[in-house]
Amino acid sequence: MQFTETPPPPLHQNSISPCSNFIMSSKNNSQFHRTRPWPGFSTPSNKALGSVKDANCMEQLLVHCANAIESNDATLAQQILWVLNNTAPPDGDSNQRLTCGFLRALISRAAMTGSCKMLTAAMANTQPNHAIHTHKFSVIELASFIDLTPWHRFGFVAANTAVLEAIEGFSAVHIVDLSLTHCMQMPTLIDAIANRPEGPPFLKLTVGSCDAGVPPMLDISYEDLGAKLVSFARSRNVAMEFKVIPSSYSDGFASLIEHLRVQQLVFTDRNEPEALVINGHMKLHYIPDETLGETHQHNPYYSMEPSFSSTTSLRSAFLKALRSLNPTIVVLVDEDADFTSTNLVSRLRSAFNFLWIPYDAVDTCIRRGSKQMEWYEADLCWKIENVIAQEDVQRVERLESKSKWVQRMRNANFRGVSFSEEAVTEIKHMLDEHAAGWGLKKEDEEDHLVLTWKGHNVVFATAWVPSY
């Protein structure tokens, strides 16, 4: 494996002329024959469709369709959606399946806005599987599923190595796991803690209660999951306490922060040193990025910290609240993309030019048509639909780029710390188990780590300590 020095150009270039010419002609001429007919509609011919099957044109068609829906141009939106229905089958290649996900999301948005009602009815009649059916995983299924690609494993390895170094010498460790993967990272970390030369510390693991409906989903409660983890820790001679705190990303995990403050007061009174570890794995981007004044007038952070104002972002308020807890280390792992724009077309472009990566990568490790492929792409379609079809508090998929998170952490008075060479070596060994397209590089003066696919940034891993 090699470190990549500079990113390659974007995969999807914005070449619009063939698609633009097609769109204009199809808007004025609806006398065509269809390959996959929808009842009651006439659409472009196979010859016309042949010129728009590359990824660049598919992206431009999606952009034009989004603009048509936003401007309530139902005729143009219908024409473009018809074309996309023929050029992007759900069982096609990776770009076609990606485009199909956006097609479904745009139809959902059209239905929500009240335009193109005939179109959505036709879609329901001809594609009964239009609804997204996300799978509820068993613990074993989810663990095996995560092992298929480095998407999550990269962050697990980087974070665990940083945590082990940070808690060295502590006899008590409190890990707050804010993870999208439901503590799947923890067994490996518990194993490593059990093998510490000085012996394992007393371990506390705290999670915020699971927000329903966000994939991947588990088929057991967090209480049952905690019992399994405690039993596993006991088998490794690690004394462990597991606690679930009712909390939600929608208010910036305010009740969790308050619980941690109370716990710190207890340990301060006892004069017992405890390492506090915050493990943020692909979950913090669900915290709303609006300012407190826009949608969170009664947010508990107002009473927690007088310096927070109505112009403070809820994400920034959360990070500053974390800083007030004086954690031993904060690890932040997330996908390196930006879905925060309030403009639909901007979000669509960002999502299309990032989400081709999981569609492309999955073909290297999962058999087409398998149950695992179905589960994997259902979760991706859920993400696409949330980004494209939803607005306001329902739109929770709000990824931010690494550079924005780095600035937020610095503004919250954290400083970045580099990952050790041991972490880099372990990640390289892990990537060797996967397809050749995966890579690793370092960025910024702190040498933050970035997982890449064919040279494109995928997931970043950063580690932070309080700045004094």
Side-chain angles (χ1 to χ4, degrees):
M1 178 180 312
Q2 297 179 347
F3 284 83
T4 50
E5 299 297 329
T6 56
L11 180 70
H12 303 297
Q13 300 295 333
N14 295 329
S15 173
I16 66 172
S17 53
C19 301
S20 298
N21 292 338
F22 170 78
I23 291 166
M24 293 308 297
S25 63
S26 65
K27 186 176 181 180
N28 296 319
N29 183 4
S30 61
Q31 302 304 312
F32 301 102
H33 300 286
R34 287 187 54 80
T35 305
R36 295 162 58 206
W38 288 355
F41 296 110
S42 56
T43 55
S45 65
N46 287 340
K47 182 178 179 180
L49 293 174
S51 64
V52 296
K53 288 186 177 180
D54 65 277
N56 299 328
C57 277
M58 286 181 178
E59 179 186 358
Q60 288 306 309
L61 284 170
L62 291 168
V63 166
H64 284 295
C65 185
N67 279 322
I69 290 173
E70 293 302 275
S71 62
N72 204 28
D73 188 340
T75 301
L76 179 57
Q78 289 169 356
Q79 286 284 353
I80 299 171
L81 287 170
W82 294 331
V83 175
L84 290 171
N85 186 55
N86 275 293
T87 57
D91 56 351
D93 63 27
S94 59
N95 276 322
Q96 290 174 318
R97 302 196 311 274
L98 168 70
T99 304
C100 181
F102 280 85
L103 162 67
R104 291 165 182 251
L106 286 171
I107 290 171
S108 293
R109 186 176 182 92
M112 290 175 186
T113 58
S115 59
C116 309
K117 290 182 178 178
M118 291 177 63
L119 175 73
T120 54
M123 184 69 174
N125 290 332
T126 58
Q127 293 193 6
N129 294 324
H130 172 65
I132 299 171
H133 301 287
T134 53
H135 179 65
K136 281 196 172 184
F137 291 87
S138 70
V139 171
I140 293 176
E141 282 177 340
L142 184 56
S144 299
F145 194 70
I146 285 170
D147 282 344
L148 290 170
T149 75
W151 204 277
H152 293 290
R153 292 185 71 197
F154 160 76
F156 290 178
V157 175
N160 286 352
T161 306
V163 169
L164 286 170
E165 293 173 2
I167 65 174
E168 188 175 339
F170 283 91
S171 59
V173 176
H174 186 182
I175 299 174
V176 180
D177 192 35
L178 297 173
S179 172
L180 186 67
T181 57
H182 310 293
C183 300
M184 292 297 106
Q185 175 182 340
M186 291 300 116
T188 305
L189 182 56
I190 292 170
D191 247 344
I193 286 174
N195 295 321
R196 282 201 328 181
E198 67 268 38
F202 173 70
L203 184 61
K204 292 196 300 185
L205 180 57
T206 299
V207 299
S209 57
C210 182
D211 291 273
V214 176
M217 294 181 287
L218 275 180
D219 67 353
I220 64 171
S221 69
Y222 264 22
E223 288 76 14
D224 290 340
L225 175 64
K228 291 179 180 293
L229 286 169
V230 169
S231 177
F232 174 80
R234 188 183 302 117
S235 73
R236 299 300 190 269
N237 296 316
V238 176
M240 179 174 143
E241 172 188 293
F242 183 90
K243 187 168 290 187
V244 181
I245 304 300
S247 192
S248 172
Y249 51 72
S250 62
D251 66 357
F253 301 104
S255 58
L256 176 61
I257 292 291
E258 186 59 32
H259 167 79
L260 296 175
R261 286 185 170 179
V262 171
Q263 290 295 300
Q264 275 200 338
L265 290 174
V266 172
F267 264 80
T268 300
D269 290 342
R270 294 178 183 173
N271 197 27
E272 298 178 16
E274 178 185 72
L276 176 61
V277 175
I278 309 296
N279 185 60
H281 185 94
M282 299 193 187
K283 197 168 188 177
L284 299 191
H285 71 260
Y286 290 105
I287 299 174
D289 58 321
E290 294 99 340
T291 61
L292 291 169
E294 290 173 353
T295 57
H296 302 275
Q297 294 285 353
H298 304 292
N299 191 280
Y301 280 118
Y302 272 130
S303 58
M304 287 184 190
E305 179 54 63
S307 66
F308 295 160
S309 68
S310 61
T311 59
T312 300
S313 162
L314 185 55
R315 287 187 185 178
S316 296
F318 168 77
L319 296 178
K320 290 177 181 178
L322 281 187
R323 175 61 184 84
S324 70
L325 297 171
N326 198 31
T328 307
I329 189 169
V330 176
V331 181
L332 174 57
V333 175
D334 217 323
E335 296 162 336
D336 196 5
D338 194 334
F339 297 169
T340 59
S341 176
T342 57
N343 179 270
L344 172 62
V345 169
S346 294
R347 290 204 309 274
L348 188 151
R349 286 190 183 278
S350 293
F352 191 85
N353 283 281
F354 177 74
L355 293 175
W356 70 269
I357 297 173
Y359 276 94
D360 190 50
V362 73
D363 284 343
T364 67
C365 61
I366 304 179
R367 180 176 55 83
R368 190 88 60 86
S370 66
K371 279 292 182 183
Q372 285 184 321
M373 178 72 87
E374 179 185 326
W375 299 342
Y376 184 93
E377 296 198 350
D379 285 3
L380 286 174
C381 285
W382 184 94
K383 184 190 288 277
I384 293 170
E385 182 157 320
N386 190 264
V387 172
I388 300 302
Q390 302 289 348
E391 291 294 351
D392 302 321
V393 295
Q394 286 77 33
R395 182 168 61 83
V396 298
E397 280 289 348
R398 300 191 185 193
L399 290 171
E400 280 191 312
S401 65
K402 179 175 72 69
S403 61
K404 286 189 176 183
W405 279 111
V406 166
Q407 192 58 55
R408 285 191 189 275
M409 293 299 290
R410 290 172 178 165
N411 289 345
N413 206 23
F414 286 98
R415 64 177 178 86
V417 293
S418 299
F419 289 91
S420 66
E421 285 305 312
E422 181 183 353
V424 172
T425 300
E426 286 197 35
I427 291 171
K428 287 181 177 180
H429 288 324
M430 181 272 294
L431 293 182
D432 286 341
E433 301 172 13
H434 297 280
W438 296 105
L440 176 68
K441 67 179 179 180
K442 293 181 180 180
E443 289 186 343
D444 300 329
E445 59 268 29
E446 295 93 350
D447 287 337
H448 296 147
L449 301 180
V450 180
L451 175 70
T452 64
W453 173 252
K454 297 181 178 177
H456 298 266
N457 284 17
V458 180
V459 176
F460 64 85
T462 61
W464 304 86
V465 297
S467 180
Y468 296 98

